[in-house]
Amino acid sequence: MLKRVTMGVGAILLLALAGLASMIRIVPGEPAAPVAPPAVQTAEAPAAPAGNWTHPLLTVPVQGVSRAQIVDTWGQSRANGARAHQATDIMAPGGTPVIAAAPGMVEKLFYSQGGGGITLYVRSPDRQWSYYYAHLQRYAPGVAEGMHVKAGDLLGFVGDTGNAGAGNYHLHFALAHMHPSESWWKGQPVNPWPLLAGRR
């Protein structure tokens, strides 16, 4: 008797499970998209803007310095680790001529006591690039905003103005990729070292 009851209960359970299974529908769908790992934050300065662009080699902007002498200082720690360096520092004695690395128009002459000191910005003819020369000792005679320059034209002289540190003579040379409508202080910093050292 007990055996028949157990078999009956088992049969009822089997029927109930079969009925439940018939109500479940499996619908094929799109496979789940893989989850991207979180972005890793680094202390390095960005190397280049997004997008496709090319730039010819630059003229070395300090007279008498060869491409082989230029050291890649991009991303180095500055201000006790508060910021990453977004330029190439070219060491040279104070008063060494600074020349245009590329053709363009002198867009801005600017003095920043706590930053670049005596600085000069040249904008490329297509307005897509800005060339920044900082820590100058002084400008070359006749240099003025709005004047057009060719690669190799004299712009100023190597100095230690701004936050360079007394006696730390060098040219801080920066390159930025610009939208044509952007102002002289904007743009996306790009490491100029490959274009200066011939490593592009």
Side-chain angles (χ1 to χ4, degrees):
M1 179 81 175
L2 183 59
K3 189 174 180 182
R4 277 190 219 161
V5 170
T6 304
M7 286 179 66
V9 170
I12 291 169
L13 281 173
L14 263 168
L15 287 172
L17 284 173
L20 184 61
S22 70
M23 291 190 287
I24 298 173
R25 286 181 28 196
I26 298 173
V27 179
E30 295 284 325
V35 178
V40 177
Q41 298 294 326
T42 67
E44 291 183 8
N52 295 323
W53 54 265
T54 58
H55 194 292
L57 288 179
L58 294 164
T59 297
V60 176
V62 178
Q63 202 169 77
V65 175
S66 71
R67 293 191 188 281
Q69 291 174 282
I70 300 174
V71 176
D72 187 4
T73 59
W74 181 268
Q76 289 181 350
S77 174
R78 292 292 188 270
N80 295 318
R83 59 186 170 82
H85 193 238
Q86 294 185 329
T88 294
D89 284 343
I90 304 172
M91 311 309 289
T96 303
V98 171
I99 59 177
M105 182 191 75
V106 176
E107 187 168 38
K108 187 70 177 177
L109 303 178
F110 185 72
Y111 180 73
S112 171
Q113 184 173 356
I118 298 172
T119 69
L120 183 148
Y121 293 78
V122 172
R123 191 71 166 259
S124 65
D126 62 7
R127 296 190 55 79
Q128 292 188 40
W129 296 96
S130 177
Y131 312 100
Y132 174 62
Y133 307 79
H135 305 313
L136 300 174
Q137 185 183 81
R138 66 186 187 281
Y139 300 120
V143 168
E145 290 179 10
M147 73 179 286
H148 292 271
V149 297
K150 303 181 305 296
D153 284 354
L154 183 63
L155 299 177
F157 302 89
V158 170
D160 61 353
T161 57
N163 63 5
N168 183 23
Y169 297 110
H170 67 280
L171 173 69
H172 171 102
F173 179 78
L175 175 65
H177 190 245
M178 312 283 286
H179 293 294
S181 61
E182 284 185 307
S183 299
W184 56 273
W185 69 90
K186 295 184 178 178
Q188 174 67 49
V190 175
N191 186 355
W193 180 78
L195 299 173
L196 293 169
R199 303 293 182 86
R200 68 184 173 103

